[in-house]
């Protein structure tokens, strides 16, 4: 008998029970791709939301059929699963419409699909990938109306396939998903997640779960029991934490562990080995790194892991290499680390190769960081910073002093240049402590297997202070293979600390003894004192004080570098000497010759940092001659070069100098703009001395505007800043001078003059530059004029002019001096003015101090007698 025909079904997609969050652009893209290509495959790691995205993209399309392949345990079952999903078993039972034999599901599918227009969703193909690919290719070639949307952790590899990786959710999408799923488990979730601490915790959860929707949904489900902060704090144990999915989903999606286990089960042994090995990388790697660290046919295996969505590949932009860069999502990384722990020998060997790779990289980069070709190398080290940190940490943990020392020494200049000075200091401190601990254990030479001694190093010995230990040994064994490296490391430590710690902390009795021993080691010269870090030894002479010695030390160091060093090394010491000379009395003799040589050297070397330093020294020289246009050009060029090389500890200072030039040339609007910029840069990069300098210029400007309270506030703020930094004596002198002028504005010149006289005395004792003493003397002349002591004021002005060697005064000194001169001419008459001026021009700084002391005594009146 003829059976009535059942109505044709229009697809089997189930209505969704939860809202779909984000991904609007991706949905549009997938729908338009389904019009253009007949096979679109969504790929991505487990839990990235491929199935849900496929269902959403197909929703609303007629004749969309979902085939779930995940439950299948053998590839042969794939065609049958499609037959079942399309409901062809019942159709055949109810009608005799299909003629294909029942036992050949592929033939059945071809007969059914060939005349029809259908969209098949093949969901979760990865564990039956071969069978799924074969079936897809067969159906697509025989059924012109068929389109297939597949989801898989790797592409099917069928001709004409359009592969679309499913990216992790963006931060705001992830946050929205968490909030929506949270509302389902906690009615008060909206109020809970409005709190700022909770919002920060949710952002951390979404970031550390790599924006994987499944992981985020599992985490939101924990809000039944935990606060967002507690969830974030427990993410290190994420595989135990995230176990509360919906019971109705497939078992492998009920926990994060199950999702990742499923991927692991699909790997063959060489792929598992490489996944374990790449877990030693931190922050990604490139192919060359993988080849240095992993075993087997690395390129093929990494390619396979990328195909299976376990390794993420992105083009490497930052280091300009143009090659691909690879990384593990944090969830996969943590899993791979656990799997590596199951094979300890494999992990230790991979870690050792990783350390060797990092050491070779930083040693190769080190000299190139100071060359014309420095930019890609700087970018390269920035890119690999997490790997370098991991290698250093493992070397220290394993007690491998040679590796730790070599990596730290090779990184020293990078840390200094790129303003990782605190971090560098901390790494070197740990490395020196390791050396001290090993010495205390009586090592005459590094052990063949450092790891064998790790147990004893974690003893109380590590708490030995490296400085005390060094001072306690009369002479470190010069025959020790690491002797020179340890001495270099100590000097590098001091160099980095000199910029991050208050100077007083470096100058207690114990530190003086320590520095003297270091100076005695490097001062005799030779190759070790003509390359980094040895060439910075004159810094020690600088800390130990006494100026004539510093000049002699600098001359000696320059001469040694001319014999044993290269252009860069000679340039650095010449530069150091130039900066020092500009900042000391009588300092401009011979400076133009040094600057000319520095220009030649820096052009030849090509290092942008050095070229910036040379421009900065030339700018400072031009400023001390009041040639502001010239100084501005030099500082602008210095700033351009410093930005290019990313010398962020230098840039705030250069911008502040430009602000000062604008102020002293009378362009206050430009000065304010530049001060704001300098202040923001100093805050961003934590450059204390620049912050203080900005506050000082702001205080001077407030004084000019007669805003006394603001000037006082800026002065106090600058003083608070310098307590944290290492300001040079000339800065202290200028700050004290502004302070004296603020007191003058508050209480009158009779209170300001004694402070100013005292500031000048300290500046002369500290051998500050002539520009500084001239500026202080001009300020004293202004106060003396206001007190009516015109003869002394004229002598001060004449002395200042003499010390300025005929260069014009900058603002605001120029305005004050013109006022004082006019008043004195009126009060004294031409002849007396001329006599006092002639006397003043011959005064030494000591004479000026004596005159001022007398004027201060006169202020206080006769001492009771």
């Amino acid at each position: 008998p003829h059976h009535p025909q059942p109505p044709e079904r229009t697809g089997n997609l189930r209505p969704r029970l939860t809202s779909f969050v984000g991904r609007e652009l991706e949905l549009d893209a997938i729908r338009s791709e389904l019009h253009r290509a007949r096979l679109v495959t969504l790929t991505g790691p487990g839990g990235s939301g491929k199935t849900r995205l496929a269902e959403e993209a197909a929703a609303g399309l007629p004749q969309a059929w979902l085939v779930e392949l995940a439950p299948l345990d053998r590839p042969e079952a794939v065609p049958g699963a499609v037959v079942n999903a399309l409901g062809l078993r019942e159709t055949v039972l109810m009608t005799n419409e299909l003629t294909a034999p029942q036992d050949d599901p592929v033939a059945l599918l071809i007969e059914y699909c060939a005349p029809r227009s259908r969209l098949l969703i093949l969901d979760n193909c990865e564990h039956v990938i071969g069978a799924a690919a074969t079936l897809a290719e067969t159906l697509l070639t025989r059924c012109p109306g068929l389109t297939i949307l597949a989801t898989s952790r790797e592409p099917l590899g069928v001709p004409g396939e359009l592969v679309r990786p499913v990216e992790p959710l963006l931060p705001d999408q992830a946050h929205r998903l968490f909030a929506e799923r949270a509302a389902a488990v906690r009615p008060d979730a909206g109020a809970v997640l409005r709190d700022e601490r909770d919002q920060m915790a949710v952002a951390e959860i979404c970031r550390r779960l790599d924006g994987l929707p499944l992981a985020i949904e599992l985490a939101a489900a924990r809000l039944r029991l935990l606060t967002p902060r507690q969830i974030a704090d427990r993410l290190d144990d994420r595989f135990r934490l995230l176990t509360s999915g919906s019971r109705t989903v497939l078992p492998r999606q009920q926990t994060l562990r199950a999702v990742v286990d499923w991927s692991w089960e699909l790997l063959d042994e060489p792929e598992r080995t490489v996944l374990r090995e790449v877990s030693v990388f931190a922050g990604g790697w490139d192919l060359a790194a993988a080849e240095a660290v992993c075993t087997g046919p690395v390129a093929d295996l990494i390619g396979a892991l990328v195909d299976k969505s376990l390794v993420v590949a992105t083009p490497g932009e930052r280091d300009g290499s143009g090659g691909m860069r690879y990384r593990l999502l944090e969830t996969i990384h943590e899993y791979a680390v656990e799997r590596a722990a199951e094979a300890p020998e494999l992990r230790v060997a991979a870690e050792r190769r990783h350390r060797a790779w990092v050491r070779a990289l930083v040693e190769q980069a080190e000299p190139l960081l100071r060359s014309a070709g420095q930019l890609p190398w700087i970018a390269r080290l920035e890119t690999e910073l997490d790997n370098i940190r991991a290698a250093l940490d493992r070397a220290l943990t394993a007690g491998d002093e040679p590796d730790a020392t070599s990596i730290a020494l090779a990184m020293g200049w990078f840390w200094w240049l790129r303003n990782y000075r605190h971090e560098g200091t901390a790494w070197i401190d740990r490395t020196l402590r390791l050396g001290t601990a090993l010495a205390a254990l009586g090592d005459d030479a590094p052990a063949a297997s450092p790891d064998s001694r790790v147990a004893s190093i974690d003893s109380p010995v590590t708490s030995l202070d490296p400085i005390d230990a060094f001072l306690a040994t009369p002479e470190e064994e010069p025959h020790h293979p690491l002797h020179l490296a340890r001495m270099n490391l100590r000097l590098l430590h001091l160099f980095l600390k000199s910029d991050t710690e208050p100077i007083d902390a470096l100058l207690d009795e114990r530190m003086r003894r320590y520095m003297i021993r270091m100076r005695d080691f490097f001062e005799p010269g030779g190759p070790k004192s003509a390359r980094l870090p040895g060439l910075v030894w004159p810094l020690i002479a600088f800390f130990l004080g006494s100026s004539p010695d510093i000049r002699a030390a600098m001359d000696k160091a320059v001469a040694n570098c001319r014999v044993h060093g290269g252009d860069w090394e000679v340039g650095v010491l010449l530069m150091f000497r130039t900066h020092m000379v500009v900042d000391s009395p009588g300092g401009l003799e011979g400076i133009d010759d040094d600057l000319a040589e520095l220009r030649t050297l820096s052009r030849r070397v090509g290092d942008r940092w050095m070229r910036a330093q040379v421009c900065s020294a030339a700018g400072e020289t031009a400023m001390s001659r009041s040639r502001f246009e010239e100084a501005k050009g030099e500082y602008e060029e210095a700033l351009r070069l410093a930005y290019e090389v990313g010398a962020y500890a230098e840039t705030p200072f250069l911008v502040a100098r430009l602000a000062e030039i604008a102020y002293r040339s009378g362009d206050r609007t430009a000065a304010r703009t530049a001060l704001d910029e300098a202040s923001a840069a100093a805050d961003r990069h934590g450059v204390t001395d620049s912050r203080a300098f900005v506050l000082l210029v702001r205080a001077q400007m407030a004084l000019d505007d007669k805003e006394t309270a603001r000037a006082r506030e800026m002065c106090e703020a600058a003083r608070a800043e310098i307590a944290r930094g290492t300001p040079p004596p000339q800065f202290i002198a200028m700050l004290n001078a502004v302070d004296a002028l603020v007191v003058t504005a508050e209480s009158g010149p009779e209170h300001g003059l004694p402070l100013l006289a005292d500031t000048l005395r300290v500046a002369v004792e500290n051998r500050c530059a002539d520009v500084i003493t001239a500026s202080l003397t001009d300020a004293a002349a202004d106060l003396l004029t206001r007190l009516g002591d015109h003869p002394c004021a004229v002598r001060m002005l004449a002395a200042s002019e003499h010390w300025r060697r005929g260069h014009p005064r900058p603002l605001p000194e120029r305005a004050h001096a013109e006022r004082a001169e006019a008043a004195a001419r009126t009060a004294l008459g031409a002849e007396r003015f001329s006599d006092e001026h002639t006397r003043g021009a011959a005064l030494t700084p000591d004479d000026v101090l004596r005159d001022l002391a007398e004027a201060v005594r006169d202020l206080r009146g006769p001492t009771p007698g």
Side-chain angles (χ1 to χ4, degrees):
H2 178 73
H3 291 289
Q5 204 132 348
E8 184 143 320
R9 286 161 57 209
T10 58
N12 67 345
L13 295 188
R14 302 175 299 268
R16 259 91 41 227
L17 301 174
T18 53
S19 59
F20 184 71
V21 177
R23 304 218 190 262
E24 290 78 5
L25 293 172
E26 282 149 285
L27 280 176
D28 292 344
I30 294 166
R31 286 183 184 134
S32 80
E33 280 161 1
L34 287 171
H35 289 300
R36 281 185 302 142
R38 294 184 54 220
L39 170 60
V40 176
T41 306
L42 305 183
T43 61
S48 59
K50 301 181 295 293
T51 300
R52 186 64 199 269
L53 190 56
E55 289 185 343
E56 286 294 330
L61 296 177
Q63 295 297 346
W65 299 81
L66 176 72
V67 185
E68 292 185 14
L69 301 181
L72 306 186
D73 45 14
R74 40 191 195 86
E76 306 78 70
V78 171
V82 182
V83 167
N84 287 343
L86 286 167
L88 296 187
R89 297 262 188 254
E90 306 97 274
T91 309
V92 172
L93 286 173
M94 293 180 71
T95 72
N96 48 12
E97 183 194 349
L98 293 172
T99 56
Q102 292 268 264
D103 50 6
D104 182 358
V106 178
L108 194 60
L109 286 171
I110 292 169
E111 185 186 347
Y112 175 75
C113 294
R116 294 176 171 82
S117 165
R118 293 280 179 270
L119 170 65
L120 272 190
I121 303 171
L122 298 181
D123 191 29
N124 292 305
C125 301
E126 56 276 340
H127 64 306
V128 286
I129 192 92
T134 307
L135 179 66
E137 187 165 7
T138 305
L139 292 179
L140 288 169
T141 45
R142 312 289 272 289
C143 311
L146 182 69
T147 306
I148 296 178
L149 174 58
T151 78
S152 175
R153 295 186 194 183
E154 58 180 310
L156 300 188
V158 171
E161 177 182 31
L162 200 156
V163 179
R164 182 169 192 89
V166 175
E167 301 292 338
L169 292 173
L170 296 171
D172 61 321
Q173 295 173 339
H175 205 274
R176 261 169 58 203
L177 177 64
F178 187 93
E180 294 210 5
R181 297 302 180 260
V185 296
R186 276 188 72 163
D188 64 340
V192 171
L193 297 181
R194 269 199 290 279
D195 175 85
E196 194 180 340
R197 268 196 61 208
D198 283 332
Q199 290 197 340
M200 285 172 69
V202 173
E204 184 185 330
I205 292 166
C206 294
R207 185 183 76 248
R208 293 195 51 204
L209 293 177
D210 305 302
L212 286 179
L214 174 74
I216 289 166
E217 293 187 334
L218 292 174
R222 305 303 287 166
L223 282 178
R224 287 193 187 93
L225 306 168
L226 303 171
T227 66
R229 184 70 263 159
Q230 288 173 312
I231 295 174
D233 291 342
R234 285 169 174 72
L235 279 183
D236 287 336
D237 201 3
R238 67 186 67 191
F239 293 115
R240 285 236 302 282
L241 175 71
L242 304 179
T243 56
S244 60
S246 149
R247 271 188 218 70
T248 59
V249 298
L250 295 162
R252 62 180 190 82
Q253 286 193 327
Q254 284 179 18
T255 73
L256 195 59
R257 152 83 60 202
V259 168
V260 189
D261 275 339
W262 164 270
S263 289
W264 176 260
E265 297 306 327
L266 300 176
L267 301 181
D268 62 25
E269 215 36 59
E271 289 169 342
R272 289 181 187 181
T273 299
V274 162
L275 190 59
R276 286 177 163 129
E277 288 171 335
V278 295
S279 75
V280 304
F281 286 107
W285 68 89
D286 59 19
L287 192 56
E291 287 173 333
V293 173
C294 305
T295 51
V298 176
D300 296 347
L301 292 169
I302 298 272
L305 292 175
V306 170
D307 284 343
K308 293 180 164 66
S309 302
L310 286 168
V311 169
V312 181
T314 42
E317 304 97 36
R318 282 176 58 189
D319 57 357
S321 61
M324 292 299 268
R325 195 159 176 83
Y326 304 95
R327 66 186 170 86
L328 295 174
L329 294 178
E330 194 174 328
T331 299
I332 306 292
H333 183 253
E334 204 168 298
Y335 182 88
V337 167
E338 278 184 31
R339 287 294 189 172
E342 297 166 359
E345 306 77 29
L346 182 145
R347 188 188 63 196
V348 167
E351 285 183 353
R352 196 170 282 139
R353 290 192 297 269
H354 178 264
R355 215 150 69 216
W357 165 72
V358 164
R359 179 173 168 174
L361 172 72
V362 296
E363 287 178 340
Q364 183 188 4
E366 202 272 342
L368 298 166
L369 296 175
R370 298 185 293 280
S371 69
Q374 68 201 148
L375 297 183
W377 286 97
I378 291 172
R380 185 91 195 274
L381 292 190
E382 283 285 352
T383 302
E384 299 298 359
L385 214 41
D386 286 333
N387 277 313
I388 294 164
R389 290 170 177 143
L392 257 173
D393 187 57
R394 289 182 191 135
L396 290 162
T397 309
D400 187 340
E401 191 190 0
D403 263 359
T405 303
S406 296
I407 294 172
L409 283 172
M411 283 297 287
W413 182 248
F414 175 88
W415 284 329
W416 191 86
L417 177 70
R418 299 289 279 195
N419 202 22
Y420 291 100
R421 298 171 193 188
H422 287 285
E423 180 184 337
T425 305
W427 283 119
I428 296 172
D429 184 66
R430 278 183 65 187
T431 309
L432 289 172
R433 282 178 191 277
L434 172 65
T436 305
L438 292 175
L441 291 169
D443 71 324
D444 288 331
S449 160
D451 308 81
S452 59
R453 274 191 316 222
V454 174
S456 46
I457 290 166
D458 287 333
S459 65
V461 183
T462 325
S463 59
L464 281 177
D465 180 85
I467 293 176
D468 289 341
F470 178 61
L471 291 173
T473 52
E475 182 54 57
E476 193 173 32
E477 333 68 86
H479 64 270
H480 191 287
L482 285 174
H483 175 54
L484 175 58
R486 285 172 176 172
M487 290 304 287
N488 277 330
L489 206 54
R490 291 182 180 112
L491 186 55
L492 179 58
H493 196 220
L494 213 53
F495 176 55
L496 290 174
K497 269 167 77 153
S498 69
D499 253 343
T500 55
E501 288 192 16
I503 215 117
D504 309 344
L506 295 173
L507 289 180
D508 58 17
E509 188 38 46
R510 179 183 79 127
M511 282 303 286
R512 291 189 79 84
R513 281 176 35 230
Y514 180 63
M515 287 193 200
I516 287 165
R517 276 194 56 185
M518 304 255 287
R519 182 193 63 195
D520 293 347
F521 179 79
F522 286 101
E523 190 180 30
K528 68 174 184 293
S529 310
R531 57 170 170 259
L532 271 177
L535 64 88
V536 304
W537 74 264
L539 193 69
I540 296 179
F542 184 72
F543 284 142
L544 293 170
S546 66
S547 272
D549 299 359
I550 301 175
R551 182 65 205 236
M554 286 304 316
D555 292 344
K556 188 170 179 178
V558 170
N560 181 60
C561 262
R562 288 194 191 282
V563 178
H564 296 287
D567 286 345
W568 189 87
E569 291 74 14
V570 173
V572 165
L573 283 170
L574 268 184
M575 205 148 59
F576 192 11
R577 186 171 78 184
T578 305
H579 279 297
M580 203 183 73
V581 161
V582 172
D583 289 339
S584 52
L588 298 181
E589 276 101 61
I591 198 161
D592 294 317
D593 296 343
D594 278 357
L595 281 174
E597 184 182 358
L598 274 171
R599 291 235 193 257
T600 309
L601 287 174
S602 69
R603 280 202 196 99
R604 208 152 61 206
V605 172
D607 170 13
R608 291 157 186 81
W609 173 82
M610 178 182 256
R611 285 164 54 202
Q613 289 287 321
V614 174
C615 292
S616 170
E620 214 167 316
T621 307
M623 276 191 81
S624 59
R625 292 168 170 160
S626 295
R627 296 180 186 159
F628 294 118
E629 265 313 298
E630 183 185 325
K632 182 172 182 241
E634 294 289 0
Y635 279 120
E636 282 172 345
E637 177 64 359
L639 189 60
R640 185 186 70 76
L641 291 161
Y643 275 135
E644 218 174 291
V645 78
Y648 299 121
E650 319 273 335
T651 48
F653 173 72
L654 295 169
V655 180
R657 280 307 235 187
L658 285 165
E660 188 195 6
I661 291 171
Y663 164 62
R664 293 192 171 283
S665 329
D667 184 349
R668 299 180 60 117
T669 313
R672 282 209 177 83
T673 307
L675 284 172
D676 291 343
E677 189 186 328
S679 162
D683 287 344
R684 197 163 51 244
H685 304 295
V687 188
T688 303
D689 291 356
S690 292
R691 261 200 296 254
F693 185 76
V694 167
L695 290 163
L696 174 67
V697 180
R698 287 197 199 279
Q700 283 179 319
M701 290 172 73
L703 268 177
D704 296 347
D705 296 340
K706 310 235 179 325
E707 294 175 0
T708 310
R710 178 170 163 77
R712 159 68 52 221
E713 185 195 327
M714 295 290 125
C715 253
E716 300 303 329
R719 210 169 282 292
E721 280 298 340
I722 60 171
R724 292 202 283 275
T726 52
Q730 59 268 23
F731 181 83
I732 307 275
M734 292 313 289
L735 181 58
N736 289 340
V738 172
D739 210 342
L741 297 178
V742 173
V743 169
T744 303
E746 289 167 340
S747 328
E750 63 281 9
H751 294 281
L753 189 65
L755 294 174
L756 203 53
D758 201 42
T759 299
L760 183 60
R761 182 183 54 74
V762 174
V764 170
E765 281 169 11
N766 281 328
R767 299 182 53 76
C768 282
D770 296 336
V771 201
I772 302 288
T773 43
S775 186
L776 297 175
T777 307
D778 280 338
D782 187 41
L783 299 197
L784 288 162
T785 303
R786 289 159 68 178
L787 288 162
D789 188 346
H790 296 294
C792 190
V794 174
R795 294 196 298 278
M796 298 292 114
L797 290 171
S800 155
E801 277 156 28
H802 176 64
W803 297 338
R804 288 184 190 278
R805 292 177 181 67
H807 296 299
R809 290 181 173 91
L811 289 171
E813 289 94 327
R814 186 165 72 230
H816 296 169
E818 285 166 0
R819 204 168 56 219
E821 239 174 68
R825 281 182 195 281
T826 309
L828 301 176
E831 196 174 331
R832 174 88 194 274
F833 180 92
S834 174
D835 289 350
E836 294 294 352
H837 197 280
T838 308
R839 277 179 59 200
L843 296 180
T844 65
D846 289 340
D847 300 331
V848 165
L849 287 173
R850 207 175 39 252
D851 266 13
L852 275 180
E854 206 169 301
V856 169
R857 264 200 310 282
D858 293 347
L859 273 182
R860 293 185 173 146
T863 43

